[in-house]
Amino acid sequence: MDRLISYSKESLLRCLKISEPGALAFNVQRLYMRFLQHTGREYIHSAVMEALEELKSSGDEESPCIHFYAEVFMSNTLVQLLQEHYDEDVLPHLQLSVTVKNEVEYARTKVWKELESKVQEGLECLLRCCVHRLDSLLEHYQSKTDFKLTEKMGQNLKEEPTLACRTACSYMNSQLDYISTALDGNNLISFRSEMGILFSSVLHHHLRRNPVTRIGSRQIRFDIQAYLKVLHSFEIPSFSRIEETLQFTGEIYRVPLENLRMFIHEYPMQTISQRSEERR
């Protein structure tokens, strides 16, 4: 892109030398519109589209997700470079004609909105892929006996998360790293929070579908603490509610069956599910 911008600057300099004063804005417009078509549509837009199509057909494979993160980062970087080039080298000459300037601004806005739309579509697809991937990892690595422990098994229980939990936490942390690199500003804040909420919902439903004994409740609490540590990094506005819900999921298995009715409180068990419904 640096080379393309350099070529564009050289073209503009030649244009300044050979253009009549009254035709300068129009000539700069023609040069820049061709440059915008090539860099915006044929270069950045096509790369994002290719990554998006790969992502749509990926299932729960991780490599297309990484590719799309990379394309989002690259497109943001290139758009910033192009904006600097426009502000410094193009706009001053377009201001000679209000009509020409407005035409170029309209064309630029249209190109960037189209690109933004495809990036947004990709991010939504990325969320679905990541949620599916996390659920698949938990299903694959979580043994049905991880939380179904007997008194004898509990004597040798190590105070550490299960393999499924460690794998899931590693995956969530990797997504957090990708997000922090690819996005910035409000886009980073909103997307990170959205992913954190979806991940918490997956974890909540996963923990509830596994058989747990009273002894196994000790193990599930180790996992929950590890999950909460990772989810806290997503900076979810309603994190305290998610924390309460997941902790409740672990604590409930410690209660003797005859006291369960007194212990259950409907609100915490519904919190994450309600938030998922609110999103829809």
Side-chain angles (χ1 to χ4, degrees), residues 51 54-55 58-72 125-131 133 171 175 178 182:
E54 182 184 5
L55 185 63
S58 66
D60 63 350
E61 296 177 17
E62 189 169 10
S63 56
C65 296
I66 297 174
H67 182 199
F68 191 78
Y69 279 128
E71 286 300 335
V72 171
C125 184
L126 191 61
L127 283 174
R128 294 192 294 271
C129 291
C130 290
V131 165
R133 174 69 174 168
Y171 176 72
Q175 297 308 304
Y178 293 138

Side-chain angles (χ1 to χ4, degrees), residues 98-165:
V98 175
T99 301
V100 170
K101 176 178 175 292
N102 290 340
E103 289 176 354
V104 173
E105 291 286 357
Y106 175 80
R108 278 167 41 83
T109 301
K110 185 177 180 181
V111 170
W112 300 143
K113 281 188 174 181
E114 289 175 0
L115 178 62
E116 183 180 357
S117 174
K118 292 304 176 183
V119 170
Q120 185 61 39
E121 182 183 352
L123 291 176
E124 290 291 334
C125 184
L126 191 61
L127 283 174
R128 294 192 294 271
C129 291
C130 290
V131 165
H132 190 267
R133 174 69 174 168
L134 178 62
D135 193 48
S136 297
L137 289 172
L138 290 166
E139 184 72 21
H140 178 75
Y141 286 100
Q142 196 82 75
S143 169
K144 294 299 182 183
T145 60
D146 279 346
F147 309 127
K148 199 174 181 180
L149 304 178
T150 62
E151 293 283 351
K152 184 177 181 180
M153 296 167 68
Q155 296 175 2
N156 301 317
L157 182 63
K158 297 180 180 180
E159 295 187 2
E160 63 181 20
T162 62
L163 173 60
C165 176

Side-chain angles (χ1 to χ4, degrees), residues 175-233:
Q175 297 308 304
L176 191 59
D177 290 340
Y178 293 138
I179 293 169
S180 300
T181 300
L183 302 174
D184 57 16
N186 291 332
N187 289 333
L188 170 61
I189 294 171
S190 60
F191 187 77
R192 179 179 57 203
S193 174
E194 185 79 359
M195 179 172 281
I197 291 172
L198 291 173
F199 279 171
S200 68
S201 181
V202 171
L203 296 172
H204 180 231
H205 291 296
H206 170 74
L207 293 171
R208 293 182 65 185
R209 71 190 177 199
N210 282 275
V212 183
T213 62
R214 287 190 62 191
I215 302 300
S217 68
R218 291 170 55 195
Q219 180 63 71
I220 203 172
R221 290 201 305 277
F222 295 145
D223 282 21
I224 288 172
Q225 290 306 312
Y227 290 141
L228 288 174
K229 183 178 180 180
V230 175
L231 290 174
H232 186 266
S233 301

Side-chain angles (χ1 to χ4, degrees), residues 231-265:
L231 290 174
H232 186 266
S233 301
F234 283 84
E235 302 183 31
I236 306 169
S238 58
F239 178 74
S240 59
R241 298 175 66 187
I242 291 172
E243 183 178 32
E244 178 186 13
T245 302
L246 291 181
Q247 287 179 338
F248 183 88
T249 303
E251 293 295 329
I252 195 172
Y253 295 108
R254 302 175 61 188
V255 182
L257 187 60
E258 60 272 16
N259 298 332
L260 191 59
R261 184 180 295 274
M262 297 175 58
F263 180 79
I264 290 180
H265 185 282

